[in-house]
Amino acid sequence: MNHDDDRSEAPSSINVFTYNSWGLKYIAKYRAERLQATGRAIATTLPTPEIVGLQECWTQEDYLAIRKHTRHILPHGKFYFSGIFGGGLAILSKWPIVESNMVRYPLNGRPTAFFRGDWYVGKGIACATIQIGLRREDVIEVFCTHLHAPYEREPNDSYLCHRTAQAWEMARLMRQAIGRGHAVLGLGDFNMVPSSLAHQLITTHAPVQDVWKALHPDSSLGAASHPLEKERRKETPNARYNLQENGATCDSVLNTWRWSKQQQKKLFKGSDITIDPTTLDPRAKRLDYIFFGNGLSDSSRSTQWAIDSARVGMTNRHPDLNCSLSDHFSVEATIVRLPKAQKSTHNGQVKRSSIHEQTNAGALQSLTNTSLHPTLYTSYNPSPTSSLLPVPVTRTPSPQKPNLDPPFYPACLSPSTYNEILTLIVTYMGREHRQRRLRLGHFLLSILVSIVCFIAIWWTNHPGWSFLLVFVSTLNFGGGIIDGLIGGLFVGSELRALKEFHWEIAQAKEMAEKSAYGGHGIDRRIEEQEIGDIGSTQIDDIRVKNLENEKKSVETEKELWEKVRGSEVYQGKENMRRIIR
């Protein structure tokens, strides 16, 4: 740690730590022992963690066990309560948490998948405002989350729409915090690979940077078996390379919980099994992330930060059980405070340091300094296959004359990417509409069957048949009520949330089109659809003609307006208005 002695100043660096602790009660093996060891491991991690986000810490007992071992370095903490069984999220900090809340996801699994539990735990975003200094500007907003787990491979994952909507919600909260002028940290198990739609939404719309991708731009887009990763034609990485370059936190051959059942049995019986770091590791992928963004502020007093380093940690095993501490590894990063603005020696003007300077021995990766440059954010391309538009967002000062420039649009993805998301939403909504009809149909059928059973009981004289009919009627009606509640209440609520998500993505798509076409997105898009596959020269000619037609229509409108103003009827109305006044 390297902090300034003056407590009125923000610290010169902050060490950030995110970790899925796999604390599922009654399900995760050796849960209590592993969580105790997790607390000790965090306390001895170097550099010492100063802001920690935990996922799958389901019980307060486990949270307190970790706090017991880390309280001397992380005196402040918050365990977040949510849903029926809790959200599994916690945030620990060296500095005071001055404000916190839990934001539930509108879309978070289905109650019928009770064996998966996502709907019942009430997943969401744990939010904490941390005061790292005495000044008002010395604030970092931390968002910790655990997105819905994928249970099938994309694009056949039935929960892909939910996870994408959750990423959109996460991006919205981080964007709002950045707009308030606060630095932002997004921590968690996002259950997504860097090439996913969810990742593109977060890095574009927040706007934040994926810390690992910023430092390792050539890191993998997914597991070695992922289609996009195969297109890169790279050799299958080994375990060491996955940790050091690809930032793999899940499904590593070094993690004992990803071994076969036979290997685990041998390990738990006392066999000393070690894995060579040069072993090929085709299934490892990066699911855990730290996202970072500087606040948008015009104040010269605003603290600006830059990414210094990132690493994968918590790869050590339990000292007694010899198993990994979790089925995930941690992601750790260090951000450093950039030099403040300094006065120049000429003209009395303020000379400010560029945020892009190399301020440390290592190559610091930083966001655009929005208080010093007109560009607030430029979408960075997370992969060669991404469809991000390199459209900068500019802040135009209040003009002295009417501003005739195109309107302001935030950084955006390509319209085709938004179309992909909209198609995903519409497809899923169709599925849910069918599910709703089937469940409500079952509810009505159960009522009919129960009525028939009661009528049959009225006519039968045999006790055994009467008991059987009552039993069948009860089970049938109970199942029908459950399906009726799910179809009538839950699916209805889900469909309304999907409609909101659809509208927001449609609006983002429209802004992307306007950004791409200079404020005439819809007209130009329709124009191109009508044009078809003709040559670019003809397209330019047609656009010139369209602009000329627009200009003529405006001039015609002005001429008509002048004629109206000069008419006797208009003058009479104006005289009447003056008399009334």
Side-chain angles (χ1 to χ4, degrees):
M1 284 186 303
N2 180 21
H3 300 295
D4 294 340
D5 295 333
D6 185 2
R7 292 293 294 173
S8 64
E9 293 289 335
S12 60
S13 66
I14 299 176
N15 300 317
V16 188
F17 182 105
T18 182
Y19 186 53
N20 182 326
S21 60
W22 194 41
L24 293 168
K25 194 172 185 179
Y26 307 122
I27 298 176
K29 199 167 186 176
Y30 303 130
R31 175 186 58 83
E33 295 88 343
R34 289 188 296 100
L35 269 293
Q36 288 278 355
T38 294
R40 291 191 290 268
I42 293 175
T44 56
T45 295
L46 293 176
T48 304
E50 293 164 317
I51 294 178
V52 173
L54 297 175
Q55 305 87 47
E56 289 200 24
C57 181
W58 298 106
T59 70
Q60 201 166 16
E61 174 189 354
D62 292 334
Y63 167 74
L64 293 175
I66 293 175
R67 291 278 285 135
K68 175 184 176 183
H69 296 288
T70 60
R71 195 178 295 273
H72 63 290
I73 60 169
L74 301 165
H76 307 279
K78 176 72 171 69
F79 179 79
Y80 290 80
F81 298 91
S82 179
I84 299 173
F85 301 116
L89 301 174
I91 294 176
L92 310 178
S93 172
K94 175 182 177 179
W95 300 280
I97 299 175
V98 296
E99 186 178 352
S100 73
N101 69 310
M102 180 74 185
V103 178
R104 292 277 297 273
Y105 286 128
L107 292 168
N108 183 38
R110 299 183 285 269
T112 49
F114 59 88
F115 49 92
R116 289 171 177 160
D118 292 84
W119 187 81
Y120 296 92
V121 300
K123 284 186 176 179
I125 305 171
C127 312
T129 302
I130 298 177
Q131 189 78 38
I132 59 174
L134 298 182
R135 301 183 312 162
R136 182 180 299 176
E137 297 84 4
D138 295 336
V139 167
I140 287 185
E141 294 200 40
V142 180
F143 301 92
C144 180
T145 192
H146 186 189
L147 300 192
H148 198 293
Y151 295 105
E152 299 94 10
R153 284 184 177 271
E154 294 186 16
N156 301 315
D157 183 3
S158 60
Y159 294 100
L160 177 59
C161 185
H162 282 216
R163 193 162 53 256
T164 306
Q166 291 172 354
W168 178 262
E169 190 68 25
M170 182 74 169
R172 184 211 310 277
L173 290 181
M174 290 195 287
R175 181 174 67 247
Q176 290 171 353
I178 287 174
R180 290 190 289 269
H182 297 160
V184 162
L185 287 170
L187 318 175
D189 175 2
F190 287 80
N191 277 314
M192 65 184 183
V193 293
S195 59
S196 64
L197 287 174
H199 188 279
Q200 294 181 47
L201 283 177
I202 290 174
T203 52
T204 304
H205 281 272
V208 291
Q209 277 189 314
D210 174 354
V211 166
W212 192 273
K213 199 70 179 179
L215 296 171
H216 302 271
D218 196 41
S219 58
S220 64
L221 306 177
S225 58
H226 193 281
L228 290 179
E229 189 62 23
K230 285 183 177 180
E231 290 179 7
R232 301 175 71 193
R233 301 182 182 279
K234 289 200 168 188
E235 295 182 358
T236 302
N238 60 38
R240 179 188 290 119
Y241 188 88
N242 272 335
L243 291 181
Q244 296 178 352
E245 297 298 327
N246 291 333
T249 58
C250 187
D251 292 336
S252 170
V253 295
L254 299 177
N255 195 302
T256 63
W257 299 109
R258 302 302 180 180
W259 292 357
S260 65
K261 296 295 183 184
Q262 292 77 10
Q263 283 180 302
Q264 289 185 16
K265 285 181 180 178
K266 290 180 182 179
L267 182 70
F268 297 146
K269 287 180 179 178
S271 299
D272 187 12
I273 303 176
T274 57
I275 302 295
D276 188 343
T278 60
T279 304
L280 293 182
D281 197 8
R283 295 174 57 241
K285 51 186 173 290
R286 186 159 64 100
L287 299 183
D288 303 83
Y289 296 82
I290 295 176
F291 293 101
F292 168 72
N294 272 311
L296 304 184
S297 176
D298 292 325
S299 173
S300 61
R301 291 167 53 84
S302 178
T303 303
Q304 295 292 320
W305 301 84
I307 304 166
D308 179 32
S309 61
R311 54 212 162 267
V312 174
M314 300 294 279
T315 59
N316 53 306
R317 299 189 192 177
H318 192 282
D320 301 321
L321 301 173
N322 202 25
C323 63
S324 296
L325 297 181
S326 172
D327 58 352
H328 284 241
F329 296 144
S330 68
V331 181
E332 304 164 22
T334 300
I335 60 174
V336 296
R337 181 160 53 90
L338 293 175
K340 281 184 172 289
Q342 297 178 353
K343 292 183 179 180
S344 65
T345 57
H346 59 88
N347 298 333
Q349 297 179 347
V350 177
K351 180 182 178 182
R352 297 185 173 95
S353 301
S354 170
I355 193 169
H356 298 292
E357 289 179 350
Q358 301 295 330
T359 61
N360 210 358
L364 301 181
Q365 305 291 330
S366 62
L367 295 175
T368 306
N369 187 346
T370 58
S371 64
L372 309 181
H373 302 281
T375 299
L376 300 185
Y377 175 77
T378 302
S379 305
Y380 85 99
N381 196 335
S383 71
T385 60
S386 174
S387 55
L388 292 180
L389 286 173
V391 180
V393 177
T394 58
R395 171 175 291 169
T396 306
S398 301
Q400 300 297 326
K401 298 180 180 180
N403 185 10
L404 302 178
D405 294 334
F408 170 87
Y409 302 107
C412 52
L413 299 166
S414 68
S416 62
T417 304
Y418 290 115
N419 278 333
E420 185 179 350
I421 299 173
L422 291 173
T423 302
L424 176 69
I425 297 171
V426 171
T427 303
Y428 185 78
M429 287 178 71
R431 175 194 185 278
E432 291 306 283
H433 275 296
R434 290 190 296 272
Q435 287 284 324
R436 189 181 197 186
R437 287 194 296 268
L438 289 172
R439 293 185 184 281
L440 292 178
H442 177 219
F443 171 65
L444 296 175
L445 182 62
S446 69
I447 295 176
L448 180 61
V449 171
S450 294
I451 291 173
V452 171
C453 287
F454 281 117
I455 292 173
I457 292 170
W458 179 269
W459 291 101
T460 184
N461 294 322
H462 195 284
W465 282 108
S466 298
F467 172 78
L468 183 61
L469 288 170
V470 170
F471 182 73
V472 170
S473 174
T474 303
L475 286 182
N476 168 74
F477 192 59
I481 288 177
I482 292 174
D483 261 352
L485 290 172
I486 292 174
L489 299 181
F490 164 72
V491 178
S493 173
E494 183 184 33
L495 287 171
R496 283 187 287 274
L498 285 167
K499 288 177 182 177
E500 285 293 318
F501 183 37
H502 185 278
W503 186 89
E504 291 170 8
I505 295 297
Q507 287 296 107
K509 177 192 170 186
E510 183 177 342
M511 288 195 174
E513 290 168 339
K514 290 181 178 179
S515 295
Y517 297 119
H520 301 282
I522 296 176
D523 296 336
R524 294 272 180 95
R525 176 167 52 83
I526 295 173
E527 175 186 294
E528 289 186 0
Q529 289 175 352
E530 293 175 349
I531 290 171
D533 298 326
I534 64 177
S536 59
T537 305
Q538 291 172 281
I539 293 175
D540 292 338
D541 292 340
I542 292 173
R543 285 177 177 166
V544 169
K545 290 179 181 178
N546 287 344
L547 290 174
E548 290 176 353
N549 291 334
E550 288 178 13
K551 186 176 180 181
K552 288 179 181 178
S553 63
V554 171
E555 292 175 353
T556 304
E557 188 176 338
K558 287 181 179 179
E559 291 175 2
L560 290 173
W561 178 240
E562 291 296 330
K563 289 180 180 180
V564 168
R565 294 184 63 182
S567 66
E568 294 180 1
V569 175
Y570 181 85
Q571 292 296 330
K573 289 183 178 179
E574 285 298 304
N575 292 334
M576 184 63 70
R577 288 194 185 97
R578 293 191 189 98
I579 293 171
I580 293 173
R581 290 171 185 169

